[in-house]
Amino acid sequence: MASSVSDVVDPATGRTVTTVPQLDAPGADAAIEAAHAAFAEWRRVSPADRGRLLRRFAEVVDGAIGELAALEVRNSGHTIANARWEAGNVRDVLHYYSAAPERAFGRQIPVAGGVDITFQEPLGVVCVVVPWNFPMPILSWGMAPALAAGNTVVVKPAEVTPLTAVRIGELALEAGLPDGVLTVLTGKGSVVGDRLVRHPLVRKICFTGSTEVGTGIMALAAEQVKRVTLELGGKSANIVFADADLERAAASAPMAVFDNAGQDCCARSRILVERPAYDRFLELLEPAVAAVRVTDPSDEDADMGPLISAAHRDRVAAYVDDSVEVAYRGEAPGGDGFWYPPTVVLPGGAGDRVWREEVFGPVVSVLAFDGEEEAATMANDTQYGLSGSIWTRDVGRALRVSRAVEAGNLSVNSHASVRYSTPFGGYKSSGLGRELGPDALDAFSETKNVFIDTEG
Ligand code: TAP
């Protein structure tokens, strides 16, 4: 089934830490068929028992937080503090959706001549395709509501970051989930991922990754009218009005983009500052950038670790060529890892590549704007629409600009845009559908309508 193995590399050192099997297409087919066979039983598990199993799964994950976090530090270069939060997020998402099976209500709709009721029914085998930037949370955002709705789940982690996904698959079995209910398949996207997208027994693809791959998956899925949820790229705006608390806005701006070394689809990588506050904001931003501790990610004090690979670091560095004005940079270690310093650039205008394209690294661009209307126009001048922040003391302006910005997740005087209890997803090329929040099961269920004649 495994045609070969691939190396797993520690991005902080560049050294291979282990290898994992690379499944081939027949191996993926066999796993999909096993997941389909398991679906027949899993959908019949009573709602209370399904909830109980998900709660037990959450507890087993809770007991493994230290182990999962250490794996993520080594495999993905995430800081230890972030990695612990990410493992805790898996636990919390499982807990949140463990309450869902017993609340997957249908409706009774008044009609003439009888009773009309609806049922929420599972789809079958659901595939969750996970990118390398947040291997644990993104896995859980698809997996937990899909399982709660009664589907079986096949997870395809990114080729370079499989370790926590493999361990979470083992923890599911330890928690008592039956064989075949959650399966983790390691291998290449172009082989295993492609097979999952094309296989007729997979009834839904929950994909997070690049807009390019997501677009191809949507086109292929259309051939089978296969359901898709897409969470794709971003180029989010951090809009700072002159009336804002500039100290807070500047102090928080670095980690709104440099967290996870900028490898975050929600990274606020475009800072828009109202012109009267522009010089002062840049003055305040400089020490905040200098204070970002870029170091060994296993260090408890690390704010930022390395990038995921040498190739990705080269891609990021190419955005800051000689034509780009660098305002200032933070520090980064040398050595064999894939390090890149936090970098603030001042583009010549909104047409510059570094302003328009998703860098997916620790590079932030700053431009000035004049007034609310221009702020929204500049924020919306992108193919993306995932998140964004608005800094102002004027509540009316905060609401007007929130309504004007075309993005799925906005925060006012804050950069927090992801919570498991609130919906998450993108406008425009940032995606299709929503994850998390109270309605997530809708994306993993069909609605069946049944009319019962009471007159005949
Ligand atoms: P991709 O190259 O798109 O890879 C994402 C996942 O898709 C990986 O598991 C990959 O497997 C798999 N894949 C690749 N080709 C495939 C195919 N033909 N069929 C099925 N699966 C395939 O993205 P990435 O480089 O990992 O992640 C970076 C991008 O993801 C950024 O653009 C970022 O904005 C976006 N992202 C978005 C979000 C949200 S929530 N909107 C969150 C995180 C990341 P392999 O690794 O084996 O190639």
Side-chain angles (χ1 to χ4, degrees):
M1 297 293 186
S3 58
S4 59
V5 293
S6 61
D7 289 344
V8 175
V9 173
D10 179 345
T13 62
R15 282 196 282 278
T16 298
V17 290
T18 185
T19 58
V20 293
Q22 278 206 348
L23 216 64
D24 56 16
D29 284 355
I32 294 163
E33 281 152 30
H36 179 67
F39 173 61
E41 292 297 318
W42 180 244
R43 69 178 306 178
R44 279 200 290 270
V45 171
S46 76
D49 284 343
R50 214 183 302 140
R52 230 186 311 277
L53 279 166
L54 292 178
R55 275 193 294 283
R56 205 182 299 157
F57 190 5
E59 279 148 26
V60 172
V61 169
D62 189 50
I65 283 186
E67 181 198 355
L68 288 167
L71 277 178
E72 205 65 282
V73 171
R74 206 154 46 113
N75 188 177
S76 307
H78 291 195
T79 63
I80 182 67
N82 279 8
R84 278 193 207 108
W85 181 89
E86 291 158 16
N89 184 247
V90 177
R91 171 204 55 210
D92 293 345
V93 173
L94 281 165
H95 261 304
Y96 183 71
Y97 289 109
S98 70
E102 292 176 283
R103 293 167 175 78
F105 306 123
R107 305 171 87 178
Q108 180 266 313
I109 300 170
V111 291
V115 174
D116 193 282
I117 48 178
T118 66
F119 296 91
Q120 294 306 110
E121 300 201 337
L123 304 171
V125 180
V126 167
C127 163
V128 182
V129 182
V130 184
W132 48 257
N133 63 335
F134 286 112
M136 285 192 277
I138 291 173
L139 180 163
S140 70
W141 300 353
M143 169 189 77
L147 291 176
N151 304 281
T152 54
V153 172
V154 178
V155 174
K156 210 308 268 174
E159 189 192 351
V160 294
T161 56
L163 297 188
T164 47
V166 169
R167 188 66 190 121
I168 288 169
E170 293 166 356
L171 295 175
L173 293 175
E174 283 174 28
L177 265 74
D179 274 334
V181 169
L182 174 66
T183 311
V184 177
L185 301 183
T186 55
K188 284 189 182 303
S190 54
V191 179
V192 176
D194 183 67
R195 197 58 208 131
L196 288 164
V197 174
R198 291 177 194 268
H199 201 296
L201 287 179
V202 175
R203 294 313 312 149
K204 159 115 193 187
I205 305 287
C206 184
F207 172 84
T208 303
S210 60
T211 298
E212 186 190 353
V213 173
T215 308
I217 286 176
M218 190 171 172
L220 273 178
E223 291 175 14
Q224 297 170 20
V225 198
K226 190 173 288 197
R227 276 71 178 135
V228 289
T229 300
L230 303 175
E231 298 287 1
L232 309 173
K235 190 74 189 176
S236 298
N238 178 7
I239 305 171
V240 182
F241 285 94
D243 72 346
D245 179 340
L246 288 185
E247 278 73 14
R248 267 188 72 211
S252 63
M255 292 314 285
V257 60
F258 302 143
D259 196 27
N260 206 29
Q263 303 165 125
D264 182 343
C265 50
C266 291
R268 275 62 168 174
S269 54
R270 292 183 297 155
I271 304 181
L272 284 65
V273 188
E274 200 169 19
R275 201 169 304 277
Y278 179 81
D279 290 340
R280 178 70 185 137
F281 181 85
L282 281 179
E283 256 171 48
L284 291 166
L285 183 63
E286 185 167 10
V289 171
V292 176
R293 285 177 303 267
V294 185
T295 184
D296 176 354
S298 62
D299 186 330
E300 290 289 342
D301 291 331
D303 292 321
M304 190 181 122
L307 293 173
I308 190 67
S309 65
H312 187 56
R313 181 185 52 190
D314 293 348
R315 190 182 157 272
V316 169
Y319 278 98
V320 193
D321 62 18
D322 292 344
S323 69
V324 175
E325 184 186 347
V326 175
Y328 30 78
R329 283 184 198 273
E331 298 286 332
D336 291 333
F338 313 130
W339 301 97
Y340 193 82
T343 302
V344 178
V345 303
L346 305 176
D352 286 14
R353 190 168 161 251
V354 69
W355 180 262
R356 303 205 70 77
E357 294 182 17
E358 183 178 45
V359 178
F360 222 53
V363 177
V364 67
S365 307
V366 189
L367 277 180
F369 69 88
D370 293 294
E372 268 179 54
E373 201 174 317
E374 191 178 38
T377 303
M378 284 172 71
N380 291 337
D381 180 21
T382 167
Q383 62 165 318
Y384 298 115
L386 191 54
S387 2
S389 306
I390 297 147
W391 289 80
T392 175
R393 288 191 166 97
D394 179 335
V395 177
R397 165 179 287 160
L399 284 171
R400 282 192 300 277
V401 178
S402 296
R403 299 301 300 269
V405 173
E406 297 161 351
N409 309 273
L410 295 170
S411 0
V412 175
N413 298 329
S414 157
H415 299 295
S417 50
V418 182
R419 285 183 194 79
Y420 56 80
S421 56
T422 59
F424 177 75
Y427 278 40
K428 303 194 281 188
S429 297
S430 284
L432 183 74
R434 293 293 179 269
E435 297 191 284
L436 299 176
D439 304 321
L441 263 65
D442 291 352
F444 298 103
S445 314
E446 293 285 10
T447 301
K448 179 177 284 174
N449 191 71
V450 177
F451 169 73
I452 304 155
D453 184 338
T454 54
E455 310 277 306

